[in-house]
Amino acid sequence: MEFMILILLVFAVSGSDAALRFSASYGDHMVLQRGPHKAVVWGYADKNHEKVTIQIVGHGSPVQTTTANGIWKAKLPAMTSPGPFVITASSSDGNVSLHDVLFGDVWVCSGQSNMAFNMQSVNNSAYELKKALTFDKIRLFHVRDVESPTPLADIKTVQTPWTAPSAKSVPTFSALCLLYGEYLYNHRKYPIGLIESAWGGTPIEAWSGPDAIKDCSGHARKRNPHTPSVLWNAMINPLLATTIYGAIWFQGEANSRHSAKYACQQPAMVKEWRNKFHHASLGETSLNFPFGFVQLAANSADHSKIGGFPGLRWAQTANMGHVPNPKMPHSFMAVAMDLPDFHSPRGSIHSRFKQDVAERLGLAGLGVAYGEKGLSFQGPYPTSFNTKTKGHLVIEYDHGHTVVDVRAKDGFEICCSATSETTCGTNDTWVAAPVLTHHGATVTLNVAGCHDKHWVGLRYSWRESPCEFKKCCVYGRDNDLPAPAFIRNTAF
Ligand SMILES: *[C@@H]1O[C@H](CO)[C@@H](O)[C@H](O)[C@H]1NC(C)=O
Ligand SMILES: *[C@@H]1O[C@H](CO)[C@@H](O)[C@H](O)[C@H]1NC(C)=O
Ligand SMILES: *[C@@H]1O[C@H](CO)[C@@H](O)[C@H](O)[C@H]1NC(C)=O
């Protein structure tokens, strides 16, 4: 009996393999990338060298392609009309259609549990669930957690097929991804397609393809789903041919014990994703597509704990403290270290306050991914240091352009060195450098704390959980954004 069922199953699967159809990552209600990019559609046909014709019904002339190894792939004309449209693929075998297809911007949302953290767990979830249902021009697609030792051509299992937000689809969908999509929709006013492909607890190696793994060799884990490339193979590779606008990423907790290496790993992963999405989409996904990420949030309720998070936050910026920068071009970031939720029922690492995170990421996305002019989307960043007055350090932010709001005296530390006049060594100690005054774009610190030792470095917010909710030391007065964490190990 079981044997019979097995045979039938195999037959059914190979039978459906043969027919003319779209890839598993396409479906009714989907969003395809809008112009000036051209959306790529692809699928299967039963014969090689089979002619397949794709048509946006009632819109322009059909596109012809030919299957190779059972797969066909074609670019549609660039579309700026949002739709909805019907898209039909036909061959000598008949035809298949996608209904209710919109054209808008497609974003991939990836990472670990803070990206997977879903809408029913977010703060004020009843309100958020109801609100999400009003965004019928946002469409969701949720890839199920799956790993593979080899690259898969297609999505193996779909958690949620393409759908408008619904009472069924929203509660289990990524809160950050959807709230970010809502923010974009409210500002861009055209459809937004969101592809969630994220898995809790997973390290960056699992999401990195072979090129990125090669670029940053070393420490490799073997326990699935942590093995290098297994999630790249199963949850990213099958999406590469889809034209996308950009990607957002909330990941790094699982790498915080090896934070120095992350400064190589994240830029390497982004570079590989960009290269491979670009090529597989026949050049339609930008080779420099925007990449947004969340800098690690707070976790431990012990405010004195340092741990691996500060180093990982720094590495997320490729050790430059802010993005975009030459090593992380066309990238944008939301700082989240000042949004702790120590009483989260899902554990303090899973803050329920994803609204603030999504808003900060959305704002930075408008500035970087959409190039909207005149937006202030970054927290203050120190650009010069003046040590003329003994015992004082005057920090100037953003070349004097940002008026700072100082909400606490504490947050800065200087390195006291007994041995070196130029660098802070591993045996040297950090002591508090409290804020004395602030004025306009400058903050003056008391740096007399090293007494008879040299002070040779400065760091800011260098704690796993540096402050209470929105109560870190330095913010931009006009944009309410926190200054990101900062470290410098050398003398001024
Ligand atoms: C698709 O197939 C149906 C049924 O066989 C047929 O009526 C229809 O004209 C076909 N459409 C296209 C675009 O080929
Ligand atoms: C959490 O939600 C409540 C409403 O249920 C709201 O009053 C509160 O401001 C929210 N907290 C944060 C930090 O967003
Ligand atoms: C740090 O201190 C330890 C123990 O006192 C010593 O063995 C080591 O050489 C010191 N390292 C540096 C870089 O000074």
Side-chain angles (χ1 to χ4, degrees):
M1 186 63 194
E2 273 172 42
F3 186 58
M4 284 278 292
I5 290 172
L6 195 68
I7 287 176
L8 284 173
L9 244 147
V10 168
F11 183 77
V13 168
S14 62
S16 78
D17 265 354
L20 177 70
R21 64 192 162 97
F22 286 92
S23 149
S25 55
Y26 290 69
D28 294 346
H29 317 298
M30 77 181 301
V31 174
L32 287 171
Q33 180 57 44
R34 77 196 296 267
H37 304 269
K38 294 174 178 164
V40 170
V41 290
W42 67 277
Y44 305 88
D46 60 348
K47 297 186 210 75
N48 252 339
H49 314 299
E50 171 87 349
K51 278 208 174 59
V52 178
T53 303
I54 299 106
Q55 166 93 60
I56 303 174
V57 176
H59 199 284
S61 37
V63 179
Q64 308 266 350
T65 184
T66 309
T67 57
N69 302 316
I71 289 182
W72 52 268
K73 177 151 111 176
K75 281 185 197 183
L76 297 176
M79 298 288 288
T80 45
S81 165
F85 293 103
V86 174
I87 295 174
T88 299
S90 50
S91 72
S92 63
D93 264 356
N95 65 59
V96 287
S97 296
L98 303 172
H99 295 269
D100 183 32
V101 174
L102 307 180
F103 284 86
D105 284 343
V106 179
W107 284 85
V108 169
C109 303
S110 188
Q112 51 181 116
S113 55
N114 268 314
M115 182 59 85
F117 187 92
N118 64 33
M119 211 47 153
Q120 70 195 342
S121 310
V122 83
N123 184 50
N124 211 2
S125 62
Y127 166 82
E128 295 294 351
L129 292 171
K130 219 170 133 197
K131 175 160 66 78
L133 303 185
T134 66
F135 289 88
D136 66 332
K137 296 291 190 286
I138 293 179
R139 301 294 167 82
L140 317 175
F141 181 79
H142 189 173
V143 178
R144 182 170 293 175
D145 295 354
V146 60
E147 55 184 272
S148 169
T150 53
L152 302 183
D154 207 346
I155 296 292
K156 212 167 165 184
T157 32
V158 174
Q159 181 84 30
T160 309
W162 280 105
T163 174
S166 65
K168 189 159 171 276
S169 60
V170 170
T172 55
F173 199 78
S174 161
L176 177 63
C177 187
L178 184 44
L179 292 167
Y180 175 78
E182 291 177 12
Y183 187 94
L184 291 187
Y185 181 82
N186 284 337
H187 288 83
R188 305 298 297 177
K189 308 282 186 205
Y190 53 68
I192 301 289
L194 301 171
I195 299 175
E196 177 183 350
S197 184
W199 188 338
T202 53
I204 194 169
E205 294 88 332
W207 297 99
S208 301
D211 297 353
I213 296 293
K214 214 176 323 125
D215 283 356
C216 316
S217 59
H219 187 79
R221 308 179 209 208
K222 288 284 149 54
R223 191 169 51 84
N224 283 341
H226 300 243
T227 311
S229 301
V230 291
L231 304 181
W232 156 264
N233 288 339
M235 296 175 72
I236 300 295
N237 192 69
L239 302 172
L240 297 179
T242 303
T243 313
I244 63 166
Y245 192 85
I248 59 169
W249 175 249
F250 197 160
Q251 196 280 332
E253 298 91 336
N255 292 86
S256 62
R257 288 211 235 143
H258 304 278
S259 62
K261 196 178 169 196
Y262 203 85
C264 175
Q265 290 173 311
Q266 186 178 270
M269 184 195 78
V270 174
K271 189 171 149 211
E272 184 171 23
W273 283 26
R274 284 174 171 165
N275 278 333
K276 292 190 174 168
F277 270 99
H278 177 73
H279 287 110
S281 67
L282 310 170
E284 290 305 319
T285 295
S286 167
L287 187 53
N288 196 24
F289 71 70
F291 181 84
F293 64 91
V294 181
Q295 205 180 28
L296 288 193
N299 178 27
S300 171
D302 171 5
H303 286 293
S304 69
K305 183 181 175 186
I306 295 178
F309 277 32
L312 196 105
R313 290 185 186 121
W314 187 246
Q316 284 180 295
T317 66
N319 301 343
M320 299 187 84
H322 58 140
V323 292
N325 67 50
K327 286 182 178 164
M328 288 290 294
H330 218 212
S331 300
F332 55 101
M333 160 173 105
V335 173
M337 65 182 174
D338 68 328
L339 306 171
D341 183 10
F342 300 132
H343 306 293
S344 170
R346 302 268 317 275
S348 58
I349 202 160
H350 299 127
S351 165
R352 290 165 290 179
F353 308 135
K354 295 291 190 273
Q355 292 90 337
D356 284 299
V357 183
E359 198 168 309
R360 290 175 181 182
L361 196 61
L363 176 65
L366 292 185
V368 173
Y370 292 98
E372 291 191 9
K373 298 277 171 256
L375 277 186
S376 167
F377 60 85
Q378 289 169 305
Y381 199 74
T383 48
S384 68
F385 305 90
N386 182 319
T387 56
K388 279 186 203 126
T389 307
K390 193 170 162 56
H392 288 189
L393 172 67
V394 182
I395 301 173
E396 186 183 63
Y397 285 90
D398 301 323
H399 305 284
H401 294 304
T402 298
V403 177
V404 298
D405 176 19
V406 172
R407 301 183 186 171
K409 263 178 62 174
D410 301 320
F412 292 92
E413 290 169 297
I414 49 171
C415 175
C416 304
S417 174
T419 53
S420 165
E421 289 185 20
T422 54
T423 56
C424 181
T426 45
N427 288 351
D428 296 334
T429 52
W430 293 88
V431 302
V435 173
L436 289 172
T437 58
H438 68 97
H439 177 74
T442 64
V443 172
T444 302
L445 307 182
N446 174 349
V447 291
C450 289
H451 305 293
D452 51 336
K453 291 181 183 170
H454 308 287
W455 72 271
V456 292
L458 177 72
R459 68 188 188 187
Y460 171 71
S461 272
W462 211 255
R463 292 290 184 278
E464 183 165 301
S465 306
C467 58
E468 295 300 334
F469 196 78
K470 295 188 180 173
K471 288 281 189 328
C472 277
C473 180
V474 179
Y475 288 77
R477 197 192 61 188
D478 296 332
N479 63 15
D480 205 28
L481 292 174
F486 169 87
I487 191 163
R488 169 170 166 158
N489 286 310
T490 54
F492 290 90

